[in-house]
Amino acid sequence: MEQLGTLEELPERYREELNASNLVPLWPNLRSFIPPHKPRPQTVATAWYFQQIKPLLLEAGELTPIEKAERRVLALANPGHGLENMKVSPAMYLGMQLLLPQEWAPAHRHAPNAVRLIVEGEGAYTTVEGQKCIMEHGDMILTPSGLWHEHGHDGDQPVIWMDILDLPLVYYMEASFVEEGRRQEVDRINQGSTPQYAAGIVPTPHFSREDAPYPMMRYAWKDTKKVLDALAEKAGYQDPLQVAYVNPETGKDCQNILGYSALLLRPNETLSLPLRSTAQVFHVIEGGLTIQIDQQDFHLTQADTACAPCFAVIDLINTSAQPCYVFIADEAPLQRKLGLYSVRERHAEGVSP
């Protein structure tokens, strides 16, 4: 590919005139914005270890009362994007949130979509538009854009969960904001997956896809795990043991921007993933594994988290005699909507899609 001209090759007078007119020559920067063959991500392979996070999060509970924090969170920041930007990838924000016994995180609603993945503890709940969702280990709870939600804790031990938001994208689009609200009246308590969807049936005569963009708010881990275990026991099943979190009425992604799935690694199994055009986050729900990202090894145990940039070479390795359950978040729904999503074979890493 032909070498393009540089900014320094242009006369200083010309550059000053460009600056004065708020103009920038494209050609010296063209390869930075449109690199050959594949992107040059700022996202770097990174891991966050729960044994390091938990004591700092608990100390935050001692240092800052909930009234001064509103949401007591430590953001997981990818150094490739700068820690001050508090993002894991271009579209994903992760945070570990702490709620202490008898605390209440007040109701609000905001533009970014969010999910809560419960990491540790019990007795807490999230109320979304009047639906009280009990929070148990491994559960995923939706708090979609524009819906009122709050968190409370009736138990006696700290509860920690992971927040996953599309905040970096919404913020970049200058569309991010929050509104404060009043404590909600609870009209339903959600203690598990919605029965009619788990059974493959829907209510009549008033069933309408258009009226229920989020028919499920709580995806109970006990139900997800059962499905993964059933796949593992299925004779002759050769595909990766992975399930996606979807809208049960439409079969589409459960949220609009980020995608979520859960994966089971059998004992002593190694899974080589294809090269994907989206950054990915891996969080261990149960067990442990080594995740190799572009030849960097990260040894993860329960509640640890790692991220990988787009088109990374990723191997998931379970060397133990116990199964490992992994939660995965990515930007695939957004990329599909934009026509940008692609998957490449490992041997075709350097080939343009």
Side-chain angles (χ1 to χ4, degrees):
M1 193 169 289
E2 186 176 349
Q3 182 68 37
L4 299 178
T6 66
L7 191 63
E8 290 72 23
E9 292 174 347
L10 299 174
E12 184 176 355
R13 171 201 53 79
Y14 182 72
R15 284 181 276 163
E16 290 175 351
E17 290 181 8
L18 289 174
N19 289 340
S21 300
N22 297 317
L23 297 171
V24 180
L26 173 62
W27 60 94
N29 303 295
L30 183 61
R31 295 291 177 253
S32 297
F33 288 98
I34 312 176
H37 305 305
K38 66 176 185 178
R40 295 173 184 166
Q42 291 180 284
T43 305
V44 297
T46 312
W48 297 267
Y49 300 99
F50 189 64
Q51 65 178 359
Q52 297 172 354
I53 296 172
K54 182 178 178 179
L56 295 170
L57 196 52
L58 292 175
E59 186 174 359
E62 298 172 357
L63 296 172
T64 306
I66 193 68
E67 294 78 15
K68 289 190 175 183
E70 186 175 338
R71 299 296 193 266
R72 196 188 291 107
V73 180
L74 295 180
L76 282 58
N78 189 301
H81 291 281
L83 299 182
E84 70 281 1
N85 290 313
M86 295 191 299
K87 59 184 178 181
V88 166
S89 74
M92 287 191 286
Y93 160 96
L94 301 182
M96 283 289 187
Q97 183 164 172
L98 169 70
L99 198 64
L100 295 174
Q102 308 310 311
E103 285 187 333
W104 178 66
H108 67 197
R109 61 182 180 182
H110 44 64
N113 295 280
V115 304
R116 324 293 172 179
L117 184 71
I118 317 311
V119 174
E120 184 176 273
E122 56 186 27
Y125 60 88
T126 291
T127 302
V128 187
E129 293 287 333
Q131 182 180 156
K132 184 177 180 179
C133 299
I134 306 302
M135 303 174 95
E136 297 178 342
H137 172 247
D139 290 356
M140 188 183 79
I141 296 172
L142 306 185
T143 52
S145 173
L147 299 191
W148 293 109
H149 58 277
E150 61 196 77
H151 312 295
H153 191 352
D154 297 329
D156 57 9
Q157 297 294 324
V159 171
I160 297 172
W161 65 83
M162 177 181 286
D163 296 317
I164 308 172
L165 285 77
D166 51 24
L167 175 60
L169 174 68
V170 178
Y171 179 78
Y172 176 77
M173 295 176 65
E174 299 184 350
S176 184
F177 66 93
V178 66
E179 296 178 86
E180 297 180 354
R182 298 175 295 177
R183 188 185 290 264
Q184 300 176 69
E185 294 292 332
V186 174
D187 55 34
R188 177 188 165 197
I189 297 179
N190 188 329
Q191 295 182 319
S193 296
T194 308
Q196 64 262 31
Y197 299 121
I201 58 176
V202 296
T204 58
H206 302 298
F207 169 70
S208 172
R209 287 192 173 95
E210 290 75 17
D211 293 339
Y214 302 103
M216 283 181 65
M217 290 296 178
R218 180 180 182 229
Y219 293 74
W221 171 240
K222 60 185 178 183
D223 297 327
T224 306
K225 185 178 180 181
K226 285 180 184 177
V227 175
L228 288 169
D229 289 342
L231 287 176
E233 294 171 2
K234 188 175 181 180
Y237 193 84
Q238 300 297 320
D239 292 331
L241 302 173
Q242 187 170 4
V243 295
Y245 293 91
V246 301
N247 179 325
E249 293 184 1
T250 66
K252 296 180 180 180
D253 298 293
C254 65
Q255 286 195 337
N256 293 323
I257 304 302
L258 303 181
Y260 307 100
S261 62
L263 182 144
L264 168 59
L265 276 179
R266 300 179 180 90
N268 300 307
E269 179 181 12
T270 295
L271 180 62
S272 297
L273 302 182
L275 309 182
R276 302 179 69 204
S277 60
T278 171
Q280 298 177 80
V281 165
F282 302 87
H283 175 83
V284 181
I285 297 179
E286 295 181 26
L289 80 160
T290 295
I291 179 168
Q292 190 175 82
I293 305 172
D294 289 334
Q295 300 184 334
Q296 297 182 68
D297 287 350
F298 301 96
H299 305 288
L300 308 183
T301 58
Q302 183 168 313
D304 291 344
T305 306
C307 77
C310 64
F311 293 117
V313 178
I314 303 172
D315 292 308
L316 306 178
I317 306 165
N318 182 8
T319 57
S320 75
Q322 302 298 322
C324 176
Y325 299 86
V326 184
F327 176 86
I328 302 173
D330 62 36
E331 302 157 335
L334 171 64
Q335 289 197 0
R336 288 192 182 100
K337 288 179 173 66
L338 297 175
L340 300 175
Y341 183 75
S342 66
V343 177
R344 306 181 188 181
E345 297 299 326
R346 297 279 284 258
H347 62 77
E349 179 183 359
V351 178
S352 179

